[in-house]
CSV table of all heavy atoms in Angstrom, one decimal:
chain,number,residue,atom,x,y,z
W,1430,GLN,N,-5.3,-0.2,-0.9
W,1430,GLN,CA,-4.0,0.5,-0.5
W,1430,GLN,C,-3.9,0.9,0.9
W,1430,GLN,O,-4.9,1.5,1.4
W,1430,GLN,CB,-3.9,1.8,-1.3
W,1430,GLN,CG,-4.3,1.7,-2.8
W,1430,GLN,CD,-3.3,0.9,-3.6
W,1430,GLN,OE1,-2.2,0.8,-3.3
W,1430,GLN,NE2,-3.9,0.2,-4.6
W,1431,THR,N,-2.9,0.5,1.6
W,1431,THR,CA,-2.6,0.9,3.0
W,1431,THR,C,-2.1,2.4,2.9
W,1431,THR,O,-0.9,2.6,2.6
W,1431,THR,CB,-1.7,0.0,3.7
W,1431,THR,OG1,-2.2,-1.3,3.8
W,1431,THR,CG2,-1.5,0.5,5.2
W,1432,ALA,N,-2.9,3.3,3.1
W,1432,ALA,CA,-2.6,4.7,3.1
W,1432,ALA,C,-2.3,5.2,4.5
W,1432,ALA,O,-1.8,4.4,5.3
W,1432,ALA,CB,-3.6,5.6,2.4
W,1433,SER,N,-2.5,6.5,4.8
W,1433,SER,CA,-2.2,7.0,6.1
W,1433,SER,C,-2.8,8.4,6.3
W,1433,SER,O,-2.9,9.1,5.3
W,1433,SER,CB,-0.7,7.0,6.3
W,1433,SER,OG,-0.4,7.6,7.6
W,1434,ALA,N,-3.1,8.7,7.5
W,1434,ALA,CA,-3.5,10.1,7.8
W,1434,ALA,C,-2.3,11.0,7.6
W,1434,ALA,O,-2.4,12.3,7.5
W,1434,ALA,CB,-4.0,10.2,9.2
W,1435,ALA,N,-1.1,10.4,7.4
W,1435,ALA,CA,0.1,11.3,7.1
W,1435,ALA,C,-0.1,12.0,5.8
W,1435,ALA,O,0.5,13.1,5.6
W,1435,ALA,CB,1.3,10.4,7.0
W,1436,ALA,N,-1.0,11.5,4.9
W,1436,ALA,CA,-1.2,12.2,3.7
W,1436,ALA,C,-1.9,13.6,4.0
W,1436,ALA,O,-1.6,14.5,3.2
W,1436,ALA,CB,-2.2,11.4,2.8
W,1437,ARG,N,-2.7,13.6,4.9
W,1437,ARG,CA,-3.3,14.9,5.3
W,1437,ARG,C,-2.4,15.8,6.2
W,1437,ARG,O,-2.4,17.0,6.1
W,1437,ARG,CB,-4.6,14.6,6.1
W,1437,ARG,CG,-5.4,15.8,6.6
W,1437,ARG,CD,-6.7,15.4,7.2
W,1437,ARG,NE,-6.5,14.6,8.4
W,1437,ARG,CZ,-6.9,13.3,8.5
W,1437,ARG,NH1,-7.4,12.7,7.5
W,1437,ARG,NH2,-6.7,12.7,9.7
W,1438,ILE,N,-1.6,15.2,7.0
W,1438,ILE,CA,-0.9,15.9,8.0
W,1438,ILE,C,0.5,16.4,7.5
W,1438,ILE,O,0.9,17.5,7.8
W,1438,ILE,CB,-0.7,15.0,9.3
W,1438,ILE,CG1,-2.0,14.6,9.8
W,1438,ILE,CG2,0.2,15.8,10.4
W,1438,ILE,CD1,-1.9,13.5,10.9
W,1439,PHE,N,1.2,15.6,6.8
W,1439,PHE,CA,2.6,15.9,6.4
W,1439,PHE,C,2.8,16.2,4.9
W,1439,PHE,O,3.9,16.7,4.6
W,1439,PHE,CB,3.5,14.7,6.8
W,1439,PHE,CG,3.5,14.4,8.2
W,1439,PHE,CD1,3.2,13.1,8.7
W,1439,PHE,CD2,3.8,15.3,9.2
W,1439,PHE,CE1,3.2,12.8,10.1
W,1439,PHE,CE2,3.8,15.1,10.6
W,1439,PHE,CZ,3.5,13.8,11.0
W,1440,SER,N,1.9,15.8,4.1
W,1440,SER,CA,2.2,16.0,2.6
W,1440,SER,C,2.4,17.4,2.2
W,1440,SER,O,1.6,18.3,2.6
W,1440,SER,CB,1.0,15.4,1.8
W,1440,SER,OG,1.2,15.5,0.4
W,1441,ARG,N,3.3,17.6,1.3
W,1441,ARG,CA,3.6,18.8,0.6
W,1441,ARG,C,3.8,18.5,-0.8
W,1441,ARG,O,4.9,18.6,-1.4
W,1441,ARG,CB,4.9,19.6,1.2
W,1441,ARG,CG,4.8,19.9,2.6
W,1441,ARG,CD,3.7,20.9,3.0
W,1441,ARG,NE,3.7,21.3,4.4
W,1441,ARG,CZ,3.1,20.7,5.4
W,1441,ARG,NH1,2.2,19.7,5.0
W,1441,ARG,NH2,3.0,21.0,6.5
W,1442,PHE,N,2.8,17.9,-1.4
W,1442,PHE,CA,2.8,17.2,-2.7
W,1442,PHE,C,3.2,18.1,-3.9
W,1442,PHE,O,2.5,19.2,-4.1
W,1442,PHE,CB,1.6,16.4,-3.0
W,1442,PHE,CG,1.7,15.4,-4.0
W,1442,PHE,CD1,2.1,14.1,-3.7
W,1442,PHE,CD2,1.3,15.6,-5.3
W,1442,PHE,CE1,2.2,13.1,-4.6
W,1442,PHE,CE2,1.4,14.6,-6.2
W,1442,PHE,CZ,1.9,13.4,-5.9
Side-chain angles (χ1 to χ4, degrees):
Q1430 316 294 326
T1431 299
S1433 173
R1437 178 174 64 249
I1438 301 168
F1439 300 123
S1440 177
R1441 303 291 183 270
F1442 198 84

